[in-house]
Amino acid sequence: MEISERLRSIKPSATLSVNAKTLELRSQGVDIVSLAVGEPDFPTPAHICEAAQAAIAEGFTRYTAVPGIAPLRQAVGHYYERHYGISVPQEAVIISNGGKHALYNLMQALLNPGDSVLIPAPYWVSYPDMVALAGAKPLMVHAGVEKNFKVTPAMLEAKRQPCTRMLILNSPSNPTGAVYTPDEFNAIMQWAVENNLFVISDEIYDQLVFAPACMTSALSWWQRYPEQVAVVNGVAKSFAMTGWRVGYTVAHPELVKKLSVLQGQCTSNVCSIAQKAALAALEGSYDCVTTMNKAFLRRRDIAYSTVCSWKKARSPRPDGAFYVFADVREYFRPGMANSAELCTRLLEEAHVALVPGVAFGDDNCIRFSYAVSDTVLVESLNRVAAVLDR
Ligand code: GLU
């Protein structure tokens, strides 16, 4: 079969592949514990599920406006007013099928063949492939463990080319959990706008930042430079709603119109019922977020202190999201000589699923998602340590 050139150059998502492999092994009865996929283990809070049930009962099951129902677009505005004190009009918001779809659409809307895009590495697995699907070229800017996994304007400038059009930021970061300080973040934004780059700020983990670190959003930059900045977020991680697929973009209203045209030709609106659920999440009580975040902080401390106690692993303390990204190169040996082989060995011998760092652009590392119960976390880290030390 003749598959398009475009698709032939695309890799499967490593996070989803490891998840699929885990589910397959479990269905064969193998006792796999997974620290692989980044998804909260909590059920979606009851008041959110009830809103979805009410939507079905009311027959709210037809097409909606392509960019989302007005109350949900307004709720995104309220969210930014509430958390960042910045007002965002409905025309500047589009609801998409998860943060992933929001990102994909932005790249389709903004990039042309021949453009290049700066991606700080380690990066979330899907950025480079989304850039490639838009015909553009990803330019990785690597910041390893010794740089606390953070890039600087000087590092970005060293990689920038005349054809560079875009920069993708992600703080808190998946996979590293690194959170840029306000000074670090704003210096990068300043450099980017001065150099006429479009910045996509993926802020899907904005509710998951652990004090004393604090969240810096690109939203104030969007307010000042609306034609050069888009902020992407969603309800998946903050409200334990990964399967509902509701993400959103804040961008210039003209860009939002174009994104709606694209979405209207590809997917139409996000599931009407999921939109009602997301509305209940954004407009309802945030007690559920606080409760889940307390658990994530406790697990961060468990995971980070355990990994630090391993003699040959290195990791800066992750200040956000729910990942520890550890440099484990000193454990490499024949048969487990890189991150992929190490993860295969851990899956086969420790029965623990992890995502190899190579998928995120750093082959010295492996990613642990601690969005699992404390017991599973402790048990799986012990199993990993046993294999590493063997
Ligand atoms: N973003 C999550 C992760 O990195 C979910 C899987 C995905 O869509 O990549 O594990």
Side-chain angles (χ1 to χ4, degrees), residues 51-65 68-72 269-279:
Q53 280 154 357
I56 298 174
E58 286 158 17
F60 194 72
T61 52
R62 299 184 183 276
Y63 292 133
T64 74
I69 54 174
L72 180 55
N269 60 276
V270 169
C271 166
S272 58
I273 300 153
Q275 289 191 64
K276 286 283 195 174
L279 177 60

Side-chain angles (χ1 to χ4, degrees), residues 118-124 127 139-143 151 156 167-170 180 360:
L118 289 165
I119 304 181
Y123 47 76
W124 177 53
Y127 298 145
L139 291 179
M140 315 312 186
V141 184
H142 191 258
V151 298
L156 293 164
L167 164 67
I168 302 176
L169 290 180
N170 176 219
Y180 284 84
F360 306 97

Side-chain angles (χ1 to χ4, degrees), residues 13-16 36-39 100 124-126 174 205 237 242 245 322-323 355 360 367 369:
S13 158
T15 45
L16 299 187
V37 76
E39 103 172 311
K100 216 165 185 171
W124 177 53
V125 290
S126 296
N174 174 3
Y205 298 98
K237 313 290 185 183
T242 47
R245 310 312 299 139
F322 33 58
Y323 307 105
V355 186
F360 306 97
R367 187 188 79 169
S369 163

Side-chain angles (χ1 to χ4, degrees), residues 172-352:
S173 153
N174 174 3
T176 67
V179 176
Y180 284 84
T181 66
D183 284 352
E184 289 165 345
F185 190 85
N186 291 325
I188 293 173
M189 289 302 299
Q190 184 69 44
W191 169 85
V193 294
E194 275 169 14
N195 286 288
N196 264 323
L197 300 183
F198 190 98
V199 181
I200 297 181
S201 184
D202 176 357
E203 303 184 359
I204 191 74
Y205 298 98
D206 77 327
Q207 289 295 320
L208 267 164
V209 178
F210 307 120
C214 63
M215 176 66 197
T216 312
S217 172
L219 199 70
S220 62
W221 290 88
W222 168 77
Q223 206 179 22
R224 277 186 283 163
Y225 301 91
E227 295 187 5
Q228 276 181 264
V229 179
V231 175
V232 170
N233 204 333
V235 293
K237 313 290 185 183
S238 314
F239 296 94
M241 291 180 70
T242 47
W244 300 79
R245 310 312 299 139
V246 185
Y248 52 85
T249 304
V250 174
H252 191 289
E254 287 308 313
L255 177 54
V256 166
K257 277 192 203 151
K258 290 292 179 201
L259 293 166
S260 296
V261 171
L262 174 63
Q263 194 160 291
Q265 290 290 29
C266 302
T267 55
S268 307
N269 60 276
V270 169
C271 166
S272 58
I273 300 153
Q275 289 191 64
K276 286 283 195 174
L279 177 60
L282 290 174
E283 298 283 47
S285 160
Y286 277 58
D287 290 353
C288 55
V289 179
T290 311
T291 307
M292 289 189 275
N293 286 2
K294 271 195 197 135
F296 287 131
L297 174 59
R298 193 180 61 242
R299 295 164 185 180
R300 190 277 308 262
D301 290 340
I302 295 173
Y304 176 61
S305 61
T306 306
V307 170
C308 283
S309 73
W310 298 345
K311 282 194 279 316
K312 297 196 243 166
R314 276 198 300 160
S315 168
R317 191 188 63 197
D319 285 328
F322 33 58
Y323 307 105
V324 171
F325 199 60
D327 186 313
V328 288
R329 74 185 99 168
E330 288 187 36
Y331 287 104
F332 291 168
R333 52 185 185 256
M336 43 189 249
N338 54 46
S339 67
E341 285 185 11
L342 181 65
C343 286
T344 303
R345 180 70 72 92
L346 290 171
L347 188 63
E348 286 167 356
E349 292 184 16
H351 290 175
V352 177

Side-chain angles (χ1 to χ4, degrees), residues 105-118:
N105 283 355
L106 277 168
M107 298 190 206
Q108 291 294 324
L110 294 165
L111 296 172
N112 284 309
D115 292 341
S116 65
V117 177
L118 289 165

